[in-house]
Amino acid sequence: MKRTFLLFHLLLFGVLSVCAQHLVGRVVDAKSGEPTPFVNVSYEGGKAGMQTDLEGRFKLPFRKGEKLIVSSIGYETTTLRPKNTDSLLIKIKAVDFGLGEATVRGKRTKYSRKNNPAVILMEKVIAAKKAVRLDRNDYYSVEKYDKLSFALSDVTPRIFEDGALKNFAFLKEHVEISKETGKLILPLSVDETVSQEIYRKENNEKKTIVKGQRTTGMNELIDTGDILTSMLQDVFTEVNIYEDDIRFVQSQFLSPIAGKSAIAFYRYFIEDTTYVEGTKCIQVSFGPNNSRDFGFTGSLYIQADSTYRIAKADIGIPIKSTVNYVKRINITQTFDRLPSGEQVMVKNDMFVVLEAAKFLKTLEVKRYTEYSNFSFTPLSPRLFRFKGNTKIEPDARMQPDVFWGEHRTEQLTKSEGNMSLLVSRLLNMKGLKPFIWVGKSLIENYVPTSIDEKNPSKLDIGPVNTIVTTNPVDGVRLRGSLQSTANFSPHFFWHGYIAYGFRDQRWKGMADLTYSFNKKNYLPMEFPVSNLTFNFSYDVMTPSDQYLSTDKDNVFVAVKWAPIKHMMYSRSFKLYYDREWENGLQWKTQLRHDNTEPTYHLFYQPVSVGLHYDDEGKYNPRPYGPADKVSLAALNRRFLSTTDLSMLLQYQPGVAYINTKQRRIRVNKEAPIYRISHTVGVKGIASDYTYNMTEIGVRKRVWLHSWGRMDFDMTAGAQWNKVPFPLLCMPKTNLSYIYEDRMFYLVNNMEFLNDRYAQLLFNWNLHGKIFNRIPLLKKLKWREHIGVNCLWGKLTDKNNPYLEQNKDQVDLFFFPGEFRYDGSYRSTSRVMNPKQPYVEAAVGIHNIFKILHVDYVRRFSYLDDPQTSKWGIRFTFRVIF
């Protein structure tokens, strides 16, 4: 075991000392002597450049006789010609921004946008940017090469000095020097894509054709495909400063040339006049008013002519930025003028250093994109004849080395080229496979039955977090789950579980069989789906479990803030077809038969059995005469059988997912979601009732730049027929202390039963807008959260069991409730006042220790019941940038 532990750390932290002739040095403030991080150090012309680290250090290839340029926002640009490789100490002087001799207070003058030459220049740049948009043309096409690499950084040679590691010399062949930092790194994955982007003004169509795709490295150890690459691409998206709003690190940043909003958000300073590839340019530095806000910092090199075009951009984030896990970001964008006159980006070079914690090694992410072969000639309509916005050519993943040699604009390093060899060697190391197997099981929440790359897993055991749990009916509950993978069949999939409750001593289970009309890489849920599924289940549940986004047996949501009293056994048969299109349209049709048996404190009792008034003037059920005590077991006699057909139509433009073994994660949350559904059941066709349920909803995220983001979820629905309470509209309630998105915080299970409803779920994450301005508190990087949930409901007279006119109705049941000690009955479900909405709110602190989110929640209406929970604490653990 000790050896396996050492082998694992060898994989992550093994390094090799590589010797080369380099220029090393340190940059400090000339006045204070303090090291200056993130200073741009490069040879003239922008060659072999980098930024200094937090200690002001840099390391570059030595080029004798060439001019070295040292520049940073707020400092004078320094130039020198190193004569040898001796360590340099470079002192840079701070720029005097308006400190004249007449200023006796010694303070920097207040930044003003009025009559500011830098602001005037930027307003001209913003006004001219429309002239560089490619979509001004009727057509355009461009070829793109994209390379995304991931590496372990800042490792030390000491790991090889351990006697136990001297036997693993092969890792030394995979260690190299990072050209950005000069430190030793171990590359872990490389993803390359060659594509063609096409556009036609007619219908404003913009599509991408992927011609080549290649992934090597740690992705090969993860069964669900390119999850690592997909996550990195989602977090570190392409940055184009000519776009007003830039999605980056899963947030929205304002471009420094976005318009009036950019002029208000950023501060600009004219630094120098310089040349970029022979073109005279004005260097303008910029940064947000508050360095802790989500914004960029850097320099723009603007052509010193009447076009006001950008020739180059150096972009980063402020040192004090509250972006999580990101220690350093450098983005260099190069623009060029085409013979036809358009100004286009030709290179986009991104370098990111990630640091999860001080005691862990840092990670490097590099994304290099190059654009070429711009064309504005008319394109054949057949090029656009495919569904969705992206088409992957059938041979994209099988392109030979000759193809990559022709299209690769940045050559792979030796270690990057040998990535598959590294993975193969690791998998063949004696004693390491079991460790990888355990690690994958913990990360993916599923246990693969094989980790042999020649015989991949056909069956996965899991989810792991559902094996042991508890509830009032089951008591202690054990569950075993199994699912097949595409290694068993790329079209046929099956999934199921068996469970046993030690209190009720009943076996439960679920099984489904899916046929996917699309060939899958690992699981049937991979986007887009075209699946026909048959499902059978028999289990115990609460009515609100159907709304959970996680598994109801998840051990982490087993602890509840309210006692669970109303549960039911459900025996269900489902046959459904789910179809998704690449453009975000989804259609789902389902035929379901469900037979439910109430249990614990839940019972189904028609109101026609009998009523009487209690001392408070409320109706109470007395089904078996005037006995003082009523047996719950005696009431649990009726089953409810329903058969229905439902249809769902949903549209999510631009939808994208990351696939995991348990679920797929939607990554493009900025896109709105429109949905409408209808469910119909007919009495006599294997159903006890006729019913029609209609629901319509929309979900939208709105970004407010430095004020964070707002999420709106609006839904309305109606049950049109006379039905018992299990078929009425129930709020989406979450009884766990761990809160779920788009669910109510303090509504109890079936507390409100309506046949007409409308709800609004609102969340506002402020990204530290307030905390960032409070001394001491701003260092914690906490973020504010505000949430408000509202529910408007109405129960029409035909479905109200408490009205005198319905006392003889066999089709209506008494609402769920509980019995008092005197045998009387108290309903725990409410009939809402249509003029009084239910309102609850949350105020929270998120990003505690970069992972913990805590909210104080409180309800403001329907407080008359003394047993109502008026407030509470909810929390969750979530990794966010």
Side-chain angles (χ1 to χ4, degrees):
M1 185 65 189
K2 179 180 179 182
R3 184 183 179 191
T4 303
F5 180 81
L6 292 174
L7 290 174
F8 175 70
H9 279 76
L10 174 63
L11 168 65
L12 294 179
F13 307 125
V15 294
L16 172 67
S17 294
V18 181
C19 296
Q21 194 173 28
H22 282 80
L23 177 69
V24 296
R26 195 179 190 194
V27 182
V28 299
D29 185 284
K31 185 176 181 179
S32 66
E34 294 292 324
T36 51
F38 307 107
V39 175
N40 298 309
V41 183
S42 65
Y43 290 103
E44 189 174 25
K47 301 176 182 178
M50 65 169 294
Q51 283 190 338
T52 58
D53 61 18
L54 293 177
E55 299 299 325
R57 301 184 187 279
F58 67 90
K59 187 175 184 179
L60 294 173
F62 177 64
R63 295 181 179 179
K64 187 176 181 180
E66 291 196 24
K67 182 184 295 185
L68 191 70
I69 301 176
V70 183
S71 64
S72 181
I73 298 174
Y75 288 91
E76 296 178 358
T77 300
T78 302
T79 60
L80 65 155
R81 294 182 186 272
K83 297 180 180 180
N84 51 51
T85 58
D86 293 342
S87 180
L88 294 175
L89 179 64
I90 304 174
K91 299 180 179 181
I92 55 177
K93 297 180 180 180
V95 176
D96 183 359
F97 291 109
L99 288 176
E101 295 181 358
T103 306
V104 296
R105 291 174 295 178
K107 294 184 179 180
R108 176 175 169 175
T109 58
K110 184 178 179 181
Y111 178 83
S112 175
R113 295 176 178 83
K114 187 176 181 180
N115 299 323
N116 186 329
V119 173
I120 294 173
L121 175 61
M122 291 307 302
E123 288 175 339
K124 293 180 180 180
V125 172
I126 293 169
K129 72 175 186 177
K130 293 182 180 179
V132 303
R133 292 181 61 92
L134 294 180
D135 55 11
R136 295 188 307 120
N137 299 277
D138 293 333
Y139 299 90
Y140 77 77
S141 68
V142 56
E143 291 187 4
K144 184 171 71 171
Y145 168 78
D146 187 80
K147 173 187 170 186
L148 179 65
S149 61
F150 182 62
L152 183 70
S153 175
D154 198 20
V155 289
T156 63
R158 288 183 302 174
I159 193 73
F160 289 103
E161 297 173 5
D162 263 5
L165 300 181
K166 292 180 180 179
N167 297 326
F168 308 103
F170 74 88
L171 280 180
K172 297 180 182 180
E173 303 172 19
H174 299 278
V175 178
E176 61 188 24
I177 293 179
S178 169
K179 67 179 182 180
E180 286 80 10
T181 64
K183 298 178 180 180
L184 294 174
I185 62 173
L186 178 65
L188 300 176
S189 71
V190 177
D191 182 85
E192 296 179 283
T193 304
V194 173
S195 60
Q196 181 186 19
E197 189 176 284
I198 58 177
Y199 169 83
R200 62 178 175 181
K201 184 172 290 186
E202 182 183 357
N203 299 328
N204 194 30
E205 283 186 287
K206 181 179 178 181
K207 298 195 173 190
T208 300
I209 302 172
V210 178
K211 298 181 177 181
Q213 205 166 43
R214 186 174 182 176
T215 300
T216 56
M218 291 303 168
N219 267 330
E220 300 176 54
L221 299 177
I222 302 175
D223 294 325
T224 46
D226 301 334
I227 181 173
L228 176 61
T229 299
S230 299
M231 291 178 64
L232 292 175
Q233 288 177 340
D234 176 60
V235 174
F236 304 107
T237 53
E238 293 182 49
V239 173
N240 185 350
I241 59 171
Y242 277 102
E243 296 178 355
D244 290 349
D245 298 312
I246 301 171
R247 187 176 182 272
F248 190 62
V249 293
Q250 297 178 330
S251 296
Q252 194 174 80
F253 284 66
L254 187 66
S255 169
I257 58 171
K260 292 183 178 180
S261 54
I263 298 296
F265 181 76
Y266 288 104
R267 296 186 178 189
Y268 304 92
F269 304 93
I270 295 178
E271 298 286 356
D272 200 0
T273 301
T274 185
Y275 286 85
V276 176
E277 300 294 335
T279 301
K280 186 177 181 180
C281 296
I282 302 171
Q283 180 185 355
V284 177
S285 63
F286 63 92
N289 292 316
N290 187 316
S291 60
R292 296 182 181 274
D293 286 340
F294 276 47
F296 293 117
T297 186
S299 294
L300 301 176
Y301 297 85
I302 303 164
Q303 293 182 7
D305 55 29
S306 60
T307 64
Y308 299 106
R309 292 177 173 178
I310 296 174
K312 181 184 175 184
D314 289 328
I315 304 171
I317 60 174
I319 298 174
K320 297 180 180 179
S321 173
T322 57
V323 176
N324 287 332
Y325 311 114
V326 176
K327 185 176 181 180
R328 168 182 169 186
I329 292 179
N330 300 106
I331 304 172
T332 300
Q333 298 183 338
T334 305
F335 299 83
D336 198 6
R337 184 174 183 176
L338 300 177
S340 55
E342 286 83 0
Q343 185 86 349
V344 296
M345 185 193 302
V346 293
K347 293 181 182 179
N348 192 349
D349 196 355
M350 181 189 301
F351 175 74
V352 182
V353 177
L354 300 176
E355 184 180 63
K358 295 291 184 182
F359 59 88
L360 295 176
K361 296 294 183 181
T362 57
L363 299 167
E364 289 187 6
V365 178
K366 292 187 282 187
R367 184 168 190 174
Y368 177 80
T369 308
E370 188 163 333
Y371 306 85
S372 61
N373 296 331
F374 290 85
S375 175
F376 302 97
T377 59
L379 298 170
S380 172
R382 65 179 179 83
L383 291 176
F384 296 86
R385 291 174 186 166
F386 61 87
K387 299 176 182 178
N389 297 322
T390 302
K391 181 180 75 171
I392 301 177
E393 296 284 13
D395 59 347
R397 293 182 177 270
M398 300 179 290
Q399 294 290 4
D401 291 338
V402 175
F403 171 88
W404 292 105
E406 293 175 351
H407 293 84
R408 185 181 286 134
T409 57
E410 182 179 82
Q411 296 302 311
L412 300 181
T413 64
K414 182 180 178 180
S415 297
E416 291 172 342
N418 292 330
M419 197 68 62
S420 294
L421 176 63
L422 171 64
V423 174
S424 177
R425 286 174 165 178
L426 290 171
L427 288 174
N428 291 323
M429 287 179 63
K430 187 177 180 180
L432 189 60
K433 281 189 177 181
F435 197 89
I436 295 175
W437 180 78
V438 172
K440 291 172 63 176
S441 301
L442 293 175
I443 293 172
E444 299 178 327
N445 203 24
Y446 276 79
V447 180
T449 55
S450 172
I451 57 173
D452 187 349
E453 58 181 339
K454 296 181 180 179
N455 185 28
S457 178
K458 295 181 174 62
L459 299 173
D460 287 342
I461 302 170
V464 176
N465 60 10
T466 63
I467 294 176
V468 181
T469 187
T470 181
N471 64 62
V473 174
D474 279 309
V476 176
R477 172 185 170 104
L478 297 182
R479 169 175 152 175
S481 309
L482 198 67
Q483 68 178 16
S484 69
T485 74
N487 298 316
F488 180 84
S489 170
H491 293 284
F492 284 99
F493 298 85
W494 58 270
H495 169 227
Y497 67 81
I498 57 173
Y500 183 77
F502 286 88
R503 178 173 295 170
D504 67 351
Q505 298 182 350
R506 289 197 191 187
W507 287 95
K508 298 94 177 174
M510 183 277 289
D512 66 31
L513 178 66
T514 297
Y515 177 77
S516 173
F517 292 90
N518 300 330
K519 185 178 180 180
K520 297 300 180 181
N521 294 321
Y522 200 82
L523 292 174
M525 62 184 174
E526 295 165 3
F527 180 82
V529 304
S530 180
N531 296 344
L532 180 65
T533 300
F534 173 76
N535 174 278
F536 165 77
S537 67
Y538 173 70
D539 210 339
V540 65
M541 60 184 294
T542 66
S544 59
D545 284 343
Q546 60 183 311
Y547 302 120
L548 291 174
S549 61
T550 186
D551 197 297
K552 72 179 184 64
D553 291 330
N554 188 337
V555 67
F556 297 108
V557 298
V559 180
K560 310 293 186 180
W561 59 266
I564 303 295
K565 295 184 178 181
H566 301 124
M567 302 189 72
M568 61 187 181
Y569 292 102
S570 173
R571 188 183 305 272
S572 175
F573 299 86
K574 299 177 186 176
L575 178 66
Y576 60 89
Y577 175 67
D578 196 356
R579 178 74 166 94
E580 294 175 333
W581 287 265
E582 289 84 349
N583 62 2
L585 186 65
Q586 179 185 11
W587 171 265
K588 182 177 181 179
T589 304
Q590 175 179 277
L591 180 64
R592 178 187 64 174
H593 174 72
D594 198 12
N595 186 279
T596 61
E597 174 192 357
T599 187
Y600 203 38
H601 287 250
L602 183 66
F603 59 86
Y604 299 159
Q605 182 182 346
V607 298
S608 59
V609 171
L611 298 169
H612 89 290
Y613 290 100
D614 64 10
D615 295 337
E616 299 177 359
K618 296 181 179 179
Y619 288 119
N620 288 309
R622 299 302 295 264
Y624 300 110
D628 293 333
K629 300 289 184 180
V630 179
S631 169
L632 291 178
L635 295 175
N636 290 331
R637 293 182 174 181
R638 182 182 173 105
F639 291 83
L640 179 64
S641 295
T642 58
T643 299
D644 53 49
L645 176 68
S646 62
M647 291 167 285
L648 167 71
L649 181 64
Q650 184 167 278
Y651 180 52
Q652 307 176 64
V655 65
Y657 295 97
I658 292 176
N659 296 312
T660 69
K661 287 188 177 181
Q662 192 164 6
R663 65 179 61 87
R664 57 186 189 179
I665 303 170
R666 190 167 64 95
V667 294
N668 184 14
K669 296 182 179 179
E670 285 72 25
I673 301 177
Y674 307 97
R675 59 190 183 275
I676 183 171
S677 65
H678 186 77
T679 301
V680 56
V682 180
K683 185 176 182 179
I685 305 179
S687 180
D688 294 339
Y689 296 90
T690 294
Y691 52 94
N692 286 269
M693 168 82 83
T694 304
E695 289 185 302
I696 187 170
V698 61
R699 191 189 309 169
K700 184 71 177 82
R701 171 168 290 182
V702 178
W703 284 95
L704 305 174
H705 300 136
S706 65
W707 285 92
R709 69 172 189 267
M710 292 181 175
D711 290 292
F712 298 85
D713 193 318
M714 296 164 283
T715 308
Q719 170 61 261
W720 305 102
N721 298 91
K722 179 190 294 184
V723 293
F725 75 82
L727 299 177
L728 292 175
C729 305
M730 303 179 188
K732 296 181 179 180
T733 60
N734 175 31
L735 302 184
S736 171
Y737 284 102
I738 298 179
Y739 65 71
E740 293 273 346
D741 294 331
R742 297 177 296 280
M743 298 186 75
F744 287 93
Y745 306 116
L746 288 166
V747 177
N748 209 334
N749 188 30
M750 295 188 294
E751 180 177 352
F752 300 112
L753 296 172
N754 306 295
D755 54 18
R756 307 287 190 274
Y757 83 96
Q759 69 180 34
L760 169 65
L761 307 180
F762 167 77
N763 285 280
W764 184 9
N765 291 276
L766 280 77
H767 279 180
K769 185 68 174 182
I770 299 173
F771 291 156
N772 288 344
R773 285 153 177 80
I774 302 175
L776 299 180
L777 195 60
K778 62 184 179 182
K779 295 183 179 181
L780 299 175
K781 295 187 176 182
W782 288 352
R783 301 176 187 175
E784 316 85 348
H785 169 253
I786 299 173
V788 178
N789 297 332
C790 302
L791 173 67
W792 292 265
K794 178 182 180 181
L795 185 67
T796 57
D797 291 349
K798 66 177 180 290
N799 283 319
N800 191 337
Y802 299 115
L803 296 180
E804 182 69 21
Q805 67 189 51
N806 294 326
K807 66 179 182 179
D808 296 325
Q809 291 294 324
V810 178
D811 291 338
L812 298 184
F813 296 166
F814 285 105
F815 281 179
E818 60 186 9
F819 288 89
R820 298 187 177 99
Y821 290 106
D822 62 357
S824 63
Y825 171 79
R826 185 185 75 91
S827 174
T828 56
S829 296
R830 299 170 183 262
V831 176
M832 294 189 71
N833 181 350
K835 297 181 180 181
Q836 181 185 11
Y838 169 82
V839 180
E840 64 180 14
V843 178
I845 300 175
H846 288 193
N847 204 45
I848 302 172
F849 306 120
K850 299 182 182 180
I851 194 171
L852 176 62
H853 308 258
V854 180
D855 281 82
Y856 168 80
V857 295
R858 186 173 184 85
R859 64 189 288 170
F860 297 99
S861 56
Y862 295 93
L863 302 173
D864 52 300
D865 189 337
Q867 297 187 29
T868 296
S869 295
K870 299 177 176 60
W871 66 275
I873 300 295
R874 304 291 180 266
F875 68 93
T876 191
F877 297 94
R878 190 170 295 173
V879 176
I880 58 174
F881 282 87

